[in-house]
Structure formats: C-alpha cells, structure tokens
Amino acid sequence: MQSIAKNLKREGKSLGLVPTMGFLHEGHISLVRGSKAANDVTIVSIFVNPAQFAPNEDFNRYPRDLERDKKILENENVDYIFAPEAADIYPPGFSTYITVEELSNVIEGEIRPIHFKGVTTIVNILFNATLADNAYFGQKDAQQATILAKMAADQCAPIKVHIEPIVRETDGLALSSRNIYLSSEERSEAVLISQSLKIAKEFIEIGKYDCAVIIKAMQKHLSGAKTGLPDYIKIVNAKTFHSIDKIEQGGEYFILVAFKFGKTRLIDNLYIDYREEIPVMQ
Ligand code: AMP
C-alpha cells in the first residue's frame, strides 16, 4: 500500500483515505463521496481491528462481507481498497501503541477502556501506510473523530482530518453496521434515540440551556423503550468531553446518547456550535 501511495504522490496526486471496518452503508458512502470530491485518488480501508475490541465485545460476530463491500466501492469508483489481514498489521512482536491521553479515558473510554488506544494505533498505521493527505471520519463517532483530529494535530501528522455529518435512516436512526443485530421490535424502538436528540434540539432552540432539564426530558422519552435501556445521556464540552451543567454562548458541545438493546450498543449525538449569537446544531 505504501509503495503504491509513494508512486501516486510522485505523480503529484492528492490522496484521500476513508477508514472503515466494512459492512458498508450510506454513512460510509457519504465519507467516500466527500473524499472523491476533494482528492485525485480515494483509498478505502476495510479492517475489523482486533485491538479496539475488548474480549467481551463483538469482534467475532462483527458483520463482515468483503465481496459485497467491493461491489459497493466499485460502483462508487473508489480507486483502492486496502483490506489487510490482522497478522500483517499486528505481526508477532508488535508493541507500539498510540494513545491520546485524557480524551481516551472519558465517556466511551470509561466504558471501553482499551477501545480508543486500539483506534488511534490502527488509524496511525493507516495514515502511515496510505500517506493520505486527507482522512474522512463520521460525526456519528464524535469522540473517536475528536480523538483522531487531536492525534493528528499533536503528532504533526501531514494529513487533514475531516469530520462529516451523520447519515440517518428516513425515521432518524443513525446508520450503523451494528443495526443489523436489532430484532424488528428493537429496530422500531431504536428510533427513540434520535427522537430524544431532537427533543434536546427543540429545548435549545427555545433557549432552555440547563443540561439537567434537557437530560431529564431525553430520559423520559427513552424510557418509552421496552426492549432496551440508555447506557448514558451526557452533555459535554466538544473539546474535552467533560460533562457540563449549562450550554453557554462561546462554546461547542455534544449531546451524546449510548443505548443498549441486549448486547447491542448504539450511539448517536447532536453537535451544538454556540460560538456565535445563535446555537447551530447538527
Ligand atoms: P466503522 O466502519 O463503523 O468503523 O465506521 C467507519 C467510519 O464511518 C467512521 O468514521 C464512522 O464514524 C463513519 N460512520 C459510521 N456510521 C456513520 C453514519 N451514520 N454517518 C456518517 N458517518 C458514519
């Protein structure tokens, strides 16, 4: 991959990278289109990264279908698919890990202690393997995207990290490869997650900025689910991921929801940019 990338760079081509774990959906495709629009060459990596799954998580049952993914990416005219084997990425004796301190220990990092260390380690390898100029990540995994942008900045990586909006089903459910795990009853209740974020948005639009009040309304809405339970609802500073009490002008925030249907954990969020007069949300 790296020698191909070197040749492309020698030809003066700009390279865009879309890291994924495969089982592609429209969320991934929107990142691919973002990359295609801004780069001469687009590389999509497909790698279910064992280092970011704890032993009790879903590494083994994570959905995989490389043939299907290939067809989707061929239709999108993607230039390269980089789908290495775990043994090539982590050969015996592999011992170098990248960690973004602090940000990796809060919220998702508290629940999944090794997760972000695995993510930053693989993404750094992908940056080095592909020599990409631009990399595309989804706001869907807001903390991950923030950590990766921080990693690139702290390490002076010669790559620009782009964070793209969340792609949703028509009923509002954020697309995720894990949605396939849901039973039909769970799937119909999963819509409550994005609806709870919509309620939060409406509160903020009418100037209700007290986080306890917003979270309570979200909790109430989510309690309508019979087949699942919220793991957490948090309102955090978008830079530190520390919880806040009040949404204030001058700040950027995320409202984060993690929701569990049995072993299936779904996450979603709302970004609030309140640096100007009026909060802009997406
Ligand atoms: P994954 O294959 O789940 O590791 O995701 C690969 C990339 O796609 C990550 O940057 C995700 O944040 C992004 N992504 C996943 N779901 C969505 C979505 N619904 N909308 C936008 N981006 C997404």
Side-chain angles (χ1 to χ4, degrees):
M1 182 71 249
Q2 201 177 55
S3 63
I4 291 171
K6 271 188 191 161
N7 285 337
L8 291 165
K9 304 272 286 199
R10 230 173 265 131
E11 292 166 19
K13 304 241 163 80
S14 61
L15 311 186
L17 169 67
V18 180
T20 81
M21 297 204 298
F23 211 71
L24 302 175
H25 51 65
E26 282 298 321
H28 300 112
I29 302 307
S30 79
L31 303 182
V32 168
R33 291 183 184 154
S35 171
K36 293 256 333 159
N39 297 278
D40 298 320
V41 172
T42 289
I43 303 161
V44 176
S45 65
I46 298 179
F47 183 62
V48 184
N49 175 33
Q52 71 190 62
F53 290 81
N56 62 330
E57 293 182 348
D58 57 345
F59 175 71
N60 286 325
R61 69 172 190 141
Y62 194 85
R64 294 162 170 89
D65 192 341
L66 189 56
E67 288 310 311
R68 175 181 167 276
D69 290 345
K70 270 189 196 164
K71 284 194 195 112
I72 292 171
L73 295 175
E74 273 165 21
N75 272 340
E76 294 296 322
N77 294 316
V78 160
D79 302 280
Y80 292 93
I81 300 172
F82 180 46
E85 295 293 332
D88 294 325
I89 297 291
Y90 302 114
F94 180 94
S95 62
T96 305
Y97 294 85
I98 303 274
T99 304
V100 172
E101 303 282 346
E102 293 177 17
L103 260 179
S104 298
N105 301 330
V106 295
I107 314 281
E108 282 292 295
E110 225 176 298
I111 295 166
R112 308 181 71 188
I114 62 142
H115 177 66
F116 288 123
K117 179 181 173 187
V119 170
T120 38
T121 298
I122 187 62
V123 170
N124 186 58
I125 292 169
L126 294 172
F127 284 179
N128 288 330
T130 62
L131 305 175
D133 302 286
N134 294 290
Y136 297 83
F137 299 95
Q139 183 197 312
K140 161 76 170 35
D141 299 279
Q143 191 175 0
Q144 166 177 287
T146 306
I147 286 171
L148 292 171
K150 183 81 167 46
M151 173 182 83
D154 286 354
Q155 291 294 306
C156 300
I159 190 164
K160 187 165 190 297
V161 169
H162 302 260
I163 304 177
E164 304 284 333
I166 302 175
V167 178
R168 300 177 177 283
E169 300 279 7
T170 42
D171 69 359
L173 176 66
L175 294 185
S176 163
S177 306
R178 289 191 168 100
N179 291 349
I180 196 174
Y181 298 150
L182 300 173
S183 69
S184 62
E185 200 182 355
E186 290 169 339
R187 172 63 189 84
S188 60
E189 291 192 341
V191 69
L192 294 171
I193 303 169
S194 61
Q195 282 174 353
S196 74
L197 290 165
K198 214 164 151 232
I199 289 170
K201 188 168 183 248
E202 285 161 7
F203 270 54
I204 294 161
E205 275 163 356
I206 58 166
K208 289 191 178 172
Y209 295 143
D210 185 325
C211 296
V213 173
I214 298 169
I215 289 171
K216 204 167 165 207
M218 293 175 71
Q219 251 157 2
K220 187 166 172 231
H221 192 74
L222 288 169
S223 70
K226 304 267 173 300
T227 56
L229 277 174
D231 208 10
Y232 61 72
I233 305 167
K234 307 249 187 204
I235 306 184
V236 299
N237 175 304
K239 298 279 180 261
T240 62
F241 279 70
H242 287 165
S243 290
I244 53 141
D245 297 327
K246 198 164 189 290
I247 291 165
E248 287 172 329
Q249 190 175 359
E252 288 168 88
Y253 308 97
F254 281 108
I255 304 188
L256 305 166
V257 181
F259 197 91
K260 264 175 127 170
F261 290 102
K263 278 188 175 170
T264 304
R265 208 162 153 276
L266 302 182
I267 56 171
D268 199 350
N269 68 78
L270 176 74
Y271 169 65
I272 304 158
D273 180 355
Y274 197 1
R275 287 174 296 178
E276 305 290 337
E277 285 289 291
I278 298 167
V280 178
M281 294 178 271
Q282 78 171 23

